[in-house]
Amino acid sequence: MRYSLSSLIANTLNGHKSWPVAWRKAEPRPAYDAIIVGGGGHGLATAYYLAKEHGLTNVAVLEKGWLASGNIGRNTTIIRSNYMLPGNTHFYEWSLKLWETLSRELNFNAMVSQRGVINLAHTPAQLDAYARRGNAMRLAGVDAELLDRAELARRVPGLDLSDGARFPVLGGICQPRGGTVRHDAVAWGYARAADRLGVDIIENCAVTGFTFDGDRVSGVETTRGAIAAKKVGVAVAGSTSEVMRLAGFDRLPIESHVLQAFVSEGLKPFLDTVVTFGAGHLYISQSDKGGLVFGGDIDGYNSYAQRGNLPVVEDVAATACAMFPSLSRLRLLRSWGGIMDMSMDGSPIIDRTPKPGLYLNAGWCYGGFKATPASGWCFAHTIAKDEPHPLNAAFSLDRFRTGALLDERGAGATPRLH
Amino acid sequence: MRIPCPVCGPRSVSEFTYEGDATVTRPALDADADAWFAAVYQRANPRGPHSELWHHMGGCRSIIRVERDTGTHAITGASLVSPHEASE
Ligand SMILES: Cc1cc2nc3c(=O)[nH]c(=O)nc-3n(C[C@H](O)[C@H](O)[C@H](O)COP(=O)(O)OP(=O)(O)OC[C@H]3O[C@@H](n4cnc5c(N)ncnc54)[C@H](O)[C@@H]3O)c2cc1C
């Protein structure tokens, strides 16, 4: 059933008793043309674009838990394309363009809200760096505008813009087309749209091994039996090292780290844009339910525990109060963690692997949510055509060997700093 | 999380700086590019027991090798890294 005003009215009159299921509970079949491991945002988007753009519908998505139980349902929902290196800029801008039409494309309201993303500057040097970044973005066709203090005061009324602030704010840069998207609706929307094109979405099915015919992949072993496939794409975010080890890749340029997120009790409208702190690390927005949604740094050590430690909670809360002193008595409602696949240069990998038929999508660090549409789109292309699309050509697995790194932050091979 | 510093006793994780996988060894200066690639970029990144280096920046400034489970954060050992080892 297509979701529409008339289907909403009909179902309302009917007491909402006859909505069809959004996607089938598929049982694994013995063989597929392609298998995607991981039912997060990237895996589901990949399956959708394989079916939609490449006509490959004999596809299964295998998810170890339930749909959207990983990072796609845990992130702080920020989207943007304010990058500086060409290999990143065009990819993330393509993603933002796909976000702009996503709800119509999927016939599912993903609540894409282009409320702007503002980065604060606290030193003249930082403001200069933002001007440079903004110019680089505009040259690449991306929107950016510099903001002075008066404009910041108008757009972000709660912000401490006084000279007495711990790190006085001098200005900022805004990407007006950036914003937020309801993250679980992205997973559900892609799942429903892929299902309608014939893709099997198989939950509670963990991949436990890979089978090969010589070097070429021939399928996977799972907790629900062996499944044959001509092509297998792995998109398991924080579990990348563990899953790829099953395929014989003992070491990868990735470390898994925990990132926490926080949501406060509900407030009346307080903040209608996304703001990030420039003298530390904090990003904050307000959800439609009124809660403030925010996060900061990763905890900073290898972790597969989907919960973090208290020093980061304290640090993030202190930063939020430094920016918005009026929040000091606000209560936290919830906090949680997700496992990030931190790459060695802070940029992702979407590529073939040395094993024919096996493809890898990983290394998303903090920023993989905004990449979801383009990541799926490019990974689908890479799998279907057995070669990367120009948009993801820079995200190669062997760039760490060849030296063609994409280190946007200039932090070197120190995953905890990206 | 508390790290049992062999010099200072159990201290909050916030006093320490993480220095990563302790099993990675620096290749000889004349080693080939592949050996450097492996040491600089490639990690096992296991779920489970992990040997790692922590620098007690907010304390005695020693570099410590900690045995920690990355799935549970349980710490089963911590020892001083000898100055010779640390400079390698
Ligand atoms: C707290 C937090 C805040 C974030 N904030 C932002 C943000 O504001 N903006 C932004 O752009 N990005 C953000 N991110 C990053 C973003 O969420 C991730 O980069 C992105 O979601 C990762 O891709 P995914 O959706 O495919 O991952 P996931 O949803 O984690 O999908 C991977 C899936 O693989 C499954 N899996 C693992 N092992 C197996 C196996 N053996 N067999 C089968 N399935 C398996 C997992 O169960 C999981 O469902 C944030 C992340 C976190 C944790």
Side-chain angles (χ1 to χ4, degrees), chain A residues 37-43 62-79 205-208 235-239 243 246 259-261 283 336-341 364-372:
Chain A
V37 186
H42 294 212
L62 308 182
E63 165 54 45
K64 150 178 97 170
W66 67 92
L67 216 78
S69 53
N71 294 341
I72 186 68
R74 291 168 187 264
N75 60 67
T76 40
T77 79
I78 301 166
I79 62 165
C205 180
V207 166
T208 54
V236 294
S239 302
V243 170
L246 302 171
L259 174 64
Q260 306 190 56
Y283 31 93
W336 61 92
I339 305 306
M340 323 296 332
D341 35 338
W364 291 100
C365 303
Y366 290 58
F369 176 63
K370 63 177 154 347
T372 304

Side-chain angles (χ1 to χ4, degrees), chain A residues 61-117:
Chain A
V61 177
L62 308 182
E63 165 54 45
K64 150 178 97 170
W66 67 92
L67 216 78
S69 53
N71 294 341
I72 186 68
R74 291 168 187 264
N75 60 67
T76 40
T77 79
I78 301 166
I79 62 165
R80 56 185 173 85
S81 62
N82 53 355
Y83 284 76
M84 206 157 86
L85 302 178
N88 281 327
T89 311
H90 299 293
F91 172 84
Y92 285 105
E93 178 57 15
W94 176 230
S95 207
L96 199 52
K97 290 201 171 111
L98 291 172
W99 282 120
E100 285 172 333
T101 54
L102 192 74
S103 295
R104 255 173 295 147
E105 162 98 20
L106 300 180
N107 180 232
F108 200 97
N109 186 2
M111 295 166 67
V112 177
S113 164
Q114 293 182 292
R115 57 183 70 184
V117 174

Side-chain angles (χ1 to χ4, degrees), chain A residues 9-24:
Chain A
I9 294 171
N11 278 284
T12 306
L13 295 176
N14 187 359
H16 295 294
K17 289 197 193 92
S18 45
W19 287 109
V21 294
W23 61 87
R24 295 165 290 132

Side-chain angles (χ1 to χ4, degrees), chain A residues 64 238-239 241-242 245 250-258 300-311 344-345 397-398 400-402 405 412-413 416, chain B residues 1-3 12-15 17-21 23-24 33-35 37-48 50 52 54 68-73:
Chain A
K64 150 178 97 170
S239 302
S241 294
E242 288 290 306
R245 208 181 325 277
D250 287 335
R251 287 171 172 262
L252 288 174
I254 288 177
E255 279 183 8
S256 296
H257 286 247
V258 63
Y301 42 82
N302 290 47
S303 176
Y304 282 91
Q306 288 185 92
R307 60 181 189 286
N309 271 296
L310 291 171
M344 284 287 180
D345 64 357
L397 176 58
D398 74 353
F400 301 93
R401 186 189 293 275
T402 61
L405 301 178
R416 71 181 165 80
Chain B
M1 190 159 85
R2 283 196 191 162
I3 294 180
S12 162
V13 65
S14 57
E15 291 183 7
T17 304
Y18 186 61
E19 303 289 354
D21 188 334
T23 63
V24 173
D34 271 356
F37 157 69
V40 175
Y41 295 115
Q42 297 283 79
R43 296 291 177 268
N45 187 28
R47 177 198 292 270
H50 192 233
E52 55 199 28
W54 290 82
R68 185 179 59 94
D69 188 304
T70 60
T72 63
H73 298 333

Side-chain angles (χ1 to χ4, degrees), chain A residues 131-262:
Chain A
R132 177 168 174 245
R133 173 177 295 260
N135 286 335
M137 287 163 63
R138 289 172 75 138
L139 275 174
V142 183
D143 58 321
E145 54 180 327
L146 278 183
L147 308 179
D148 60 15
R149 274 161 57 141
E151 186 58 19
L152 281 172
R154 199 183 65 76
R155 294 197 194 182
V156 195
L159 191 63
D160 183 358
L161 286 163
S162 69
D163 288 332
R166 176 67 185 83
F167 295 100
V169 176
L170 299 188
I173 187 171
C174 176
Q175 183 181 19
R177 285 162 61 244
T180 60
V181 181
R182 181 173 179 197
H183 52 195
D184 32 27
V186 175
W188 300 334
Y190 272 120
R192 172 169 167 273
D195 174 271
R196 284 161 57 117
L197 293 173
V199 171
D200 278 359
I201 292 160
I202 303 166
E203 294 170 81
N204 300 309
C205 180
V207 166
T208 54
F210 292 77
T211 55
F212 293 94
D213 191 354
D215 245 5
R216 174 167 284 281
V217 78
S218 60
V220 294
E221 281 153 8
T222 78
T223 46
R224 296 176 68 177
I227 310 175
K230 299 190 189 91
K231 296 182 170 185
V232 179
V234 175
V236 294
S239 302
T240 299
S241 294
E242 288 290 306
V243 170
M244 290 301 282
R245 208 181 325 277
L246 302 171
F249 294 83
D250 287 335
R251 287 171 172 262
L252 288 174
I254 288 177
E255 279 183 8
S256 296
H257 286 247
V258 63
L259 174 64
Q260 306 190 56
F262 307 86

